Amino acid sequence: MAVMLTKFESKSNRVKGLAFHPTQPLLAAALHNGSVQLWNYRMGVLVDRFEEHEGPVRGVAIHPSRALLVTGGDDYKIKVWDIRPQNRRCLFTLHGHLDYVRTVQFHHEMPWILSASDDQTIRIWNSTSRNCIAILTGHSHYVMSAQFHPTQDLVVSASMDQTVRVWDISGLRKGSPNAGGPSGMGGGNSGPGNFETFDSFTTVKYVLEGHDRGVNFATFHPTLPLIISAADDRLIKLWRMSENRAYEVDSYRGHFNNVSSSLFHPKHELVVSCGEDKTVRVWDLGKRTVIQTFRRENDRFWVLAAHPNLNLFAAGHDSGLIVFKLERERPAFSVHQDTLYYVRDKYVRAFDFASGSDIGLLSVRKFGSPYMPPRTLSFNPAERAVLLTISSDNGLYELTMLPQQAQGELKDSSVDGKKGNGQSAIFVARNRSAVLNKTNQLIEVRDLSNTTVKTINAPVQTNEIFYGGTACLILSSPTSVVLYDIQQQKTIAEINSPPVKYVVWSADGQLVALMSKHTITVANRTFSQHSLIHETIRIKSGAWDDSGVFIYSTLNHVKYCLSQGDHGVICTLDNPVYLTRVKGRTIHCLDRSARPRTITFDPTEYRFKLALLRNNYEEMLYIIKTSTLMGQSIIAYLQQKGFPEIALHFVQDANTRFELALECGNLEVAMETAKAIDRPECWEKLAQQALKQGNHKVVEKAYQMTKNFDKLSFLYLATGSTDKLSKMQKIADARGDPMSRFHNALYAGDIEGRIAVLRDVGLYPLAYLTAKANELEELAAEILEAANLTEADIDDIPNIGRSTLKPPPIVTSTTNLNWPVAPTKENFFDKALVDGTLEGIEPSAYTNGDAGAGAASSALDAWAREEEIHEELINTEEGGWDLDADGGDFQSALDEEEHEVVDDELGAGASPGVSETDLWVRNSPLAVDHVAAGSFETAMQLLNRQFGVVNFALLKPLFLSIYRSSHVYISPVASLPPLQVHVRRNPSESAPSRVLPVAARTLQSIRAELTEGYRFVSGNKLSEAQETFRSVLHSLLLVVLSSDEEAKLWRDTVTTAREYLLGVSIELERRRVAEAEPDNTKRNLELAAYFTHCQLQPPHLQIALRSAIGAFSKANNQAHAARFARRLLDLNPDPKIAAQARQRIAAGDRNPRNAVDISYDEHTAFEVCAVSYTPIYKGSPSVRCPYADSVYLPQYQGMLDPLTQLTEIGAAASGLPAAW
Amino acid sequence: MESAQLYHVKQQFILGAYKTLIDMELPDKSSSDHIPMLLYKARASIALNDPQGALDLLPDDVDNVSVRAVAALAKYVAATETTEGDAALEELRDLAVEIEGEDVDGDERDKALVRVLAGTAFARAGEVEEALETLGTETEDLEAVAVIVQVYLSINRPDLAKKQFDRSKKWAEDDLLLQLIESSMGIVTGKDGYTNASAFYTEQLANPSLTSPHLLTARGIIRILRNETQEARSDLEEALERQKEDSEALAALTVVAGLGIHKKQEAEELWKRLTIEHPDHPLVIDVQRKNDVFDEVMSKYIVPPLAVA
């Protein structure tokens, strides 16, 4: 136990009392200044303060099941508080003690409160009746503490009188006169005078003497009949109770000042104590030895509290409090495929996610400190080994093989485990582990036998190392995280980050989450892209969903995070968990006691966001259709992200729908919802929006609904809707609104109407003038008359010309048309939701199938799309390799197949798809790929066009063996005909436009064969050599090439093989001549000379030269022989051979003559015809082999090439196509 | 819920441990597991191409539809003449119709099995349409899905196979057979699919409760697909060692040998052995067919006389 892990600290006045809330992360602290604080230690915030006591508060307790707090202070008062935030107040105060109250406590089931006081009494109060129901007297000094037994009717008290007493309170339960309730007592008036009456209900059971100073605290063991006490004699004493007696068992020595408090660890065999010597100490219960000491500089410790269920303690000191853990609870674990390897109770266990089986595999009890669990576990699936680290002993690691099967007796790691010192150790490869030594900053790479094979100096201050992908490490430094290549020993990338504590790789190894206390950095494999998430709450763990969503847990939440940094809450947690695996709707995790648990959750929200992010509308639609609950948040999210039209589909609430519809300009929906809402402001907004879009029909409706007659009329004018205008006139008449009537008359060009309005309102002058201006003389006269005037009265009016005012003519009858709107975006959702054609849409798998399938399904989805791209590809390629006839076929095949895709969605019976072999044929211009695909016909066409091959019989074994090796058969299902699967060249490729068959023969393997041919040459097995070189040339026709370099090498190989084949053939011919026509020396010499002109490698050329030297000197052609000897010398032969050569040269010099005249002019460049074996000098006519480029005399044009025996001499050929 | 023993048997059947099943002791006739286990045993016989063995096992006096269906399938597989085969197919067709009726001797599971067996036989006969129809693309029987998926894969429709798979994922939980289906699809689609399939078989090989050379063969084949020829070879050789008459392993080994460097001789020897021992293996038949195709295509080219001096 090297570390005490502080989880929370506060600064305050001296803390004298502490109490944990049993279920929530709350801690009550009683302070010396009279305040009682309620802390949320998980969030680190002060939740509440209770300040009614006068003077220091020493006792505090929280009710085990109700929201109640009890406190006792130096004001002799005991107060009970309601701690619910909405209801917080002091419920009541218990009066009775005559001196300081030291401790208070609620009973676990009865409504009792226990208090201990300096007035030498212990009192038990009924919190319902608020009466004192028992006073326990007997102590002869201050009672420093009193505690109920966790299950039995016992109380243990500690006193300054140096004793610890155990009291039997079972009498109280049986029927105390006052226990029944408040009846008769009338308001908690329990005066100090009346306690003698119930004294008989409680008795002292044991008096424990042994301390020689005052005892500060005593408490029971949660399960065993033990008591622990802490006293001013600097000792902690352990006492045992039996049926009828209690006795001291042991003392724990170590504190060098008063011990304030001591507690049993609720789960382990440990004792925790604190004292005025400024230490908190942890003891082994049985061995009585200090395991750990935690010291503070200046603060004396006064009080300790243990959480009833969790591994949490709190200690109060002079200037505040600390909350701490005694051990890390994060279990060491590692996930491999469907199995979780983890450590619980110092056993390595395997949990199968699929079957739920959970078995122990290995004991690690002897590894490091027995009190400490291992810190990390790294699993090596290849070797089935685990690598554990532990923090004790300054950091240890141990590498152990897991047994293949769980046996009865579990193997202990100490048997064959390989150990060493190191703070961090992980597997980095199948047979390599890396161990970090923090002090000297060395990372040692070790093999499975624990031998160091490499040592790396950490490039940055490294605190922890993690697996970084193949041959890489992730180094966590205080300010950054580094991706480090072990092979090259160099830093690949570095990201600034707070210290990274955990690293989680996604299943496909493409993404990694680097987790530190408050941040998560999601990076890609090379750290070249990353995004950061910040959390205010401590981040605990994380796991990747199959679709590439990172799910992580904080102290109190499970959250998700998308690759672009969007994150949100999935669910809340009562207690932290450690996520191990996320599969579908299930989160697998380990709880604090390292037990596998699962949490079922609804991934809809993040799946939806992911789908949105990836524009996967099918998936979104599916979610919309099937998920029942979509919160308001998703709508806000959509709106905020600019997808109001999608949000629209979620909203039921008319107001929101209306707003959204307006935002995305969906007038139809807006109209519908406006009708439902039917409020003027809605109609106005709708009218505005519709006006913008030029949809006057909607505008009209909106104006009508709001009775906006003016605007309506004007709208009718604007749209040229004359009949509507006249209707408006009538309405105006009916309404008796002269202004409106006038307007409408004006708009409608109704002069009589206008005059009538003017007359009606008594504006005779205007009426008259209007009539006049429109040459309505009769009417004018009538008005004049009505106004009691005559023409004479108004003769001063200037003559008014004819009015030109009239409604504008209607150019386009807009009335019947709406303004054309840009073609509405073909909204996938509208269509699908309206048509209800969801059946056609396949939900992309279950929950996280979306992209888990992502990779796989995208290949399938891409199917259709790639088909199109494909077409182009083929077209361009065709030009290149000139396959007009086939090209047409491909095209039509493609068309047909596209039709099929459309058809087959309908029925159950499906038409066959494109077979892989067809794809191969399409994707490659190389004959060999066509052979592998079994398309022998096209393969032969290609060979014929590219290399002029005509004689295919010789290639048959090659064709068949290549075809044979490109397909395998497998029967996954019983009795069905086996599946034919096709072996691909590049297994990491699955796009239909790029798949290609496996390369049955590689250039390398053929070159190996070539070497074999060389050996035959050296070994003078010429006919075998001839066979071999020919076969090499055959094989080279059917080899896969993938780059320019390879193509060059291929060409070189072809040339070399051809030269050797030619050379060997010449030599064989020479031997034949020598045998058949021994007299034909001329021919013999000629052939020997030509042989030396084949491009052979020096050792073989030496053979040719030596053989020529021999033949020529024998024939007494000394001059030639000397020349061959000179060439031989140039090759730096063996000294012995060199000596012979020099002799030959000397002989030639002595006698520079040639006895036999041969056709051999070595001074002019020539090539040898491979049929006649005669020289073709430079510039002379010749024909060539379209494949091997060997040379022939023109008369052999059109005949079968004797070297390869495949091609037609002189045939036109396009040569090797570039397929890469 | 089936008993542990039956579950185990089923698992073995799914993973191709046919040999173990054939050697299996059947429980007492009164046991409720008797018939289901008998059926698996018989089907294992058929899978190993020993339909007669299956027929010998099956009682003739039982009316249970699934027993009759297994017998019919055995007869179909055993048939050497087309007429016999047709008769067996007809029988399966009748059974498939019969189970739709009211008065059937057998529960839902039996009916599902009848469909699976009928589908298998139709698929064998090349009646893809009929097979799919009989199995029903909406079925919730995972065995049927397995057959459907393989049928789809065999006609190069991995897209439809995937649909079936996705559909069944919803209700089949993480059944072993579902994983097998997924891995079969992976074998065909490739890329990550290979990894998945490889992991599946590796995992199953590590499964301590059963041994099946079929798993080794399958992994070897996947390794071929992943271009890991050395590893594939070792898997296949081991599989062949365990089960000499495993045509699939032998065929796959022939394939690997052809891919190796300089193993011409060995490849030819293996090929010869395959053609002799398993003349009916589809690889043999296919290559034979290609042989003929070659000759036919070759004849289109006129070979000029060899140039001689």
Side-chain angles (χ1 to χ4, degrees), chain A residues 211-217 229-237 257-260:
Chain A
H211 283 293
D212 15 306
R213 290 284 179 84
V215 187
N216 288 315
F217 194 80
S229 63
D232 287 349
D233 59 4
R234 305 174 183 182
L235 294 182
I236 298 157
K237 283 187 187 289
N257 205 333
N258 301 344
V259 190
S260 315

Side-chain angles (χ1 to χ4, degrees), chain A residues 841-974:
Chain A
I841 293 153
E842 188 62 23
S844 85
Y846 72 131
T847 50
N848 52 16
D850 160 42
S857 81
S858 68
L860 291 172
D861 291 344
W863 210 239
R865 238 174 304 136
E866 248 150 352
E867 225 60 70
E868 296 157 19
I869 303 166
H870 205 69
E871 243 173 293
E872 294 167 27
L873 275 180
I874 283 181
N875 286 337
T876 52
E877 274 179 8
E878 266 166 33
W881 41 286
D882 195 24
L883 257 183
D884 16 293
D886 306 7
D889 289 345
F890 289 173
Q891 202 57 53
S892 60
L894 210 89
D895 291 342
E896 277 164 32
E897 179 235 287
E898 272 169 2
H899 288 303
E900 287 162 12
V901 172
V902 177
D903 289 340
D904 68 56
E905 303 295 338
L906 307 170
S911 49
V914 202
S915 96
E916 175 120 5
T917 53
D918 291 349
L919 294 173
W920 288 353
V921 169
R922 280 189 210 171
N923 292 344
S924 177
L926 291 177
V928 58
D929 292 334
H930 290 236
V931 172
S935 177
F936 291 172
E937 180 154 16
T938 53
M940 288 187 196
Q941 280 170 8
L942 287 174
L943 286 176
N944 182 257
R945 281 169 207 205
Q946 290 167 2
F947 301 112
V949 179
V950 285
N951 184 17
F952 288 100
L954 294 173
L955 294 177
K956 186 168 173 180
L958 270 176
F959 267 53
L960 289 179
S961 72
I962 289 172
Y963 177 74
R964 208 169 64 200
S965 284
S966 308
H967 310 270
V968 280
Y969 289 84
I970 183 165
S971 322
V973 178

Side-chain angles (χ1 to χ4, degrees), chain B residues 199-215:
Chain B
F200 171 73
Y201 282 106
T202 307
E203 209 169 287
Q204 291 311 322
L205 276 171
N207 184 342
S209 64
L210 88 174
T211 49
S212 160
H214 170 74
L215 292 174

Side-chain angles (χ1 to χ4, degrees), chain A residues 712-726:
Chain A
L712 201 51
S713 302
F714 190 73
L715 178 74
Y716 290 145
L717 173 70
T719 56
S721 176
T722 40
D723 50 336
K724 291 272 178 67
L725 270 177
S726 59

